[in-house]
């Protein structure tokens, strides 16, 4: 086991290096770099007509060369690309994610500021998805082939086929715009500090309803169908027939024997689903509902070419994803001792 874990950790290094190298290389060819962003903002309206030049800075034509060199040095672009890449790797090895070009804050500070919103969305999405999907999957397996199974399958597939962003737009238009039942943006009202604790809870749930609905409806489809298929596979096995032959009730067979074995693929997917709920799938929802979380931070950083934030958050999320995948694989052994990595 120790040898396997060590091997997986060592394999993470080239994977992480490849992701960073590929992203850094792509960044070099993206038009409208941070220097041009700065010049465009400094010249106000004049910057609107500047040509995008990536790392070539063609938009800086007509600017004093000495001033241009000072701006390049400010953002670290006075060094060759390979030196900047090696410097970035050295910083990341010390878990120094750098400092934002435009927000004048450390990337770690920005992540900590935005993390509560993403955690809030992720926790609600994760728990609601599993609390709905697992019982629904069990009910579908027990009633396989019935009208209930067919209708719920149709509804699940329709919900899964609708992108969360499209569903979010529809919810905003209908329930936020036309009916005005829910707010259009934010997690709290402007008078949050003046409300009592009970009113704060109601206000928070009122704001979170639409974005969570948009995220949940499509996310629990895979879990529900996986639960159903796992239960159907276990129900057909010999030990279930033996348990029934011994006189156990259907309820005892289902919850005491089948349930424990059928949940193995569900439980082993917990780490990835739990972490993924925080860092994936919320970018469009956060942008749509103006929720100041990690997804919106990543989107704004890409738009403004804030490369330290883009590369720093990418490094952090990739590292978390690699370790989460390792934990998911180890869960197979912890849940089912029959699995051997050898």
């Amino acid at each position: 086991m120790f040898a396997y874990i060590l091997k997986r950790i060592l394999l993470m290094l080239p994977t992480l290096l490849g992701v960073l190298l590929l992203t850094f290389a792509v960044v070099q060819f993206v038009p409208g770099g941070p220097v041009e962003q700065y010049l465009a903002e400094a010249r106000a309206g004049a910057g609107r007509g500047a040509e995008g030049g990536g790392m070539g800075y063609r938009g800086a034509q007509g600017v004093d060369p000495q001033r241009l060199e000072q701006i390049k040095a400010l953002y670290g672009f006075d060094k060759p690309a390979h030196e900047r890449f090696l410097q970035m790797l050295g910083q990341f090895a010390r878990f120094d994610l750098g400092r934002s070009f435009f927000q004048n804050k450390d990337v770690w500070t920005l992540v900590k500021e935005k993390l509560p919103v993403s955690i809030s969305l992720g926790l609600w999405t994760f728990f609601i998805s599993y609390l709905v999907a697992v019982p629904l999957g069990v009910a579908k397996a027990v009633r396989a082939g019935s009208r209930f199974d067919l209708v719920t399958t149709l509804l699940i597939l329709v919900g899964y086929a609708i992108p969360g962003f499209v569903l979010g737009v529809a919810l905003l238009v209908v329930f936020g715009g036309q009916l005005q039942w829910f707010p259009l943006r934010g997690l709290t009202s402007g008078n949050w500090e003046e409300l009592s604790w009970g009113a704060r809870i109601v206000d928070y749930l009122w704001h979170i309803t639409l974005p969570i609905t948009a995220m949940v409806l499509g996310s629990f489809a895979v879990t529900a169908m996986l639960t159903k298929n796992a239960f159907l596979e276990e129900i057909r096995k010999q030990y279930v027939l033996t348990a029934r032959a011994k006189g156990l009730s259907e309820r005892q067979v289902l919850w005491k024997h089948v349930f424990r074995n059928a949940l193995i693929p569900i439980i082993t997917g917990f780490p990835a689903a739990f972490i993924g709920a925080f860092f994936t799938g919320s970018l469009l929802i956060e942008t749509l509902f103006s929720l100041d979380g990690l997804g919106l931070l990543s989107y704004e950083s890409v738009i403004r070419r804030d490369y330290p934030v883009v590369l720093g958050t990418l490094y952090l999320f990739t590292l978390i994803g690699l370790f989460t995948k390792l934990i998911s694989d180890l869960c197979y052994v912890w849940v089912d001792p029959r699995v051997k990595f050898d």
Side-chain angles (χ1 to χ4, degrees), residues 33-340:
V35 173
E36 289 167 320
Q37 295 273 345
Y38 178 87
L39 293 174
E41 293 179 2
R43 292 178 300 183
R48 187 175 304 172
E51 298 178 2
M55 307 305 290
Y57 309 110
R58 292 195 299 271
Q61 293 178 358
V63 179
D64 181 29
Q66 184 177 0
R67 176 59 177 166
L68 180 59
E69 291 301 323
Q70 293 176 352
I71 297 174
K72 288 183 178 180
L74 175 65
Y75 293 115
F77 292 120
D78 56 331
K79 301 176 182 178
H82 67 278
E83 290 187 14
R84 288 186 278 116
F85 180 70
L86 294 177
Q87 181 181 1
M88 182 189 71
L89 292 182
Q91 291 178 341
F92 287 173
R94 302 189 304 270
F95 287 95
D96 178 9
L97 302 184
R99 191 174 186 84
S100 171
F101 286 156
F102 300 103
Q103 302 193 47
N104 196 28
K105 292 182 180 180
D106 292 334
V107 177
W108 274 115
T109 302
L110 290 173
V111 170
K112 292 177 183 178
E113 290 178 355
K114 313 300 182 182
L115 193 58
V117 175
S118 296
I119 288 179
S120 179
L121 292 175
L123 285 177
W124 280 109
T125 302
F126 175 80
F127 286 116
I128 292 178
S129 297
Y130 271 86
L131 288 176
V132 173
V134 173
L136 179 60
V138 175
K140 288 173 62 63
V142 174
R143 300 172 177 84
S146 65
R147 181 178 298 179
F148 170 81
D149 182 31
L150 296 177
V151 172
T152 53
T153 298
L154 177 61
L155 294 177
I156 287 175
L157 294 179
V158 170
Y160 183 71
I162 300 176
F165 183 77
V166 175
L167 180 60
V169 172
L171 293 175
L172 273 179
V173 172
V174 176
F175 296 102
Q178 296 179 354
L179 299 178
Q180 297 184 357
W181 289 355
F182 297 96
L184 298 177
R185 57 185 301 165
L187 284 182
T188 56
S189 300
N191 61 339
W192 166 264
E193 299 295 337
E194 303 174 2
L195 301 177
S196 62
W197 281 106
R200 288 184 179 183
I201 294 175
V202 173
D203 181 75
Y204 169 74
L205 295 177
W206 183 46
H207 281 77
I208 204 76
T209 299
L210 292 186
I212 291 299
T213 302
M215 294 179 66
V216 164
L217 285 184
S219 63
F220 73 85
V222 175
T223 306
M225 299 306 295
L226 179 62
T227 303
K228 174 193 173 182
N229 294 333
F231 265 78
L232 287 177
E233 182 179 355
E234 292 296 324
I235 289 175
R236 299 190 183 103
K237 290 185 176 180
Q238 187 65 38
Y239 75 89
V240 176
L241 297 177
T242 304
R244 289 171 176 168
K246 289 182 177 180
L248 294 180
S249 65
E250 193 65 23
R251 187 180 186 87
Q252 289 177 313
V253 172
L254 181 63
W255 296 105
K256 186 177 180 179
H257 297 279
V258 176
F259 186 78
R260 181 174 58 184
N261 294 323
L263 281 187
I264 289 178
I266 308 299
I267 295 176
T268 52
F270 267 18
F274 187 73
I275 299 298
F278 299 151
F279 302 112
T280 60
S282 60
L283 189 154
L284 295 177
I285 299 299
E286 289 182 10
T287 304
L288 178 63
F289 289 92
S290 300
L291 304 176
D292 196 12
L294 293 175
L296 186 60
L297 172 66
S298 301
Y299 172 77
E300 292 177 345
S301 301
V302 171
I303 295 299
R304 300 197 65 182
R305 307 297 192 266
D306 199 346
Y307 295 145
V309 179
V310 174
L311 294 170
T313 53
L314 175 69
Y315 166 75
L316 179 63
F317 297 162
T318 304
L319 195 61
I320 292 175
L322 291 173
F323 275 101
T324 302
K325 181 61 177 176
L326 174 59
I327 294 175
S328 298
D329 292 341
L330 294 177
C331 283
Y332 279 100
V333 175
W334 296 334
V335 175
D336 189 355
R338 297 172 298 178
V339 177
K340 302 294 182 183

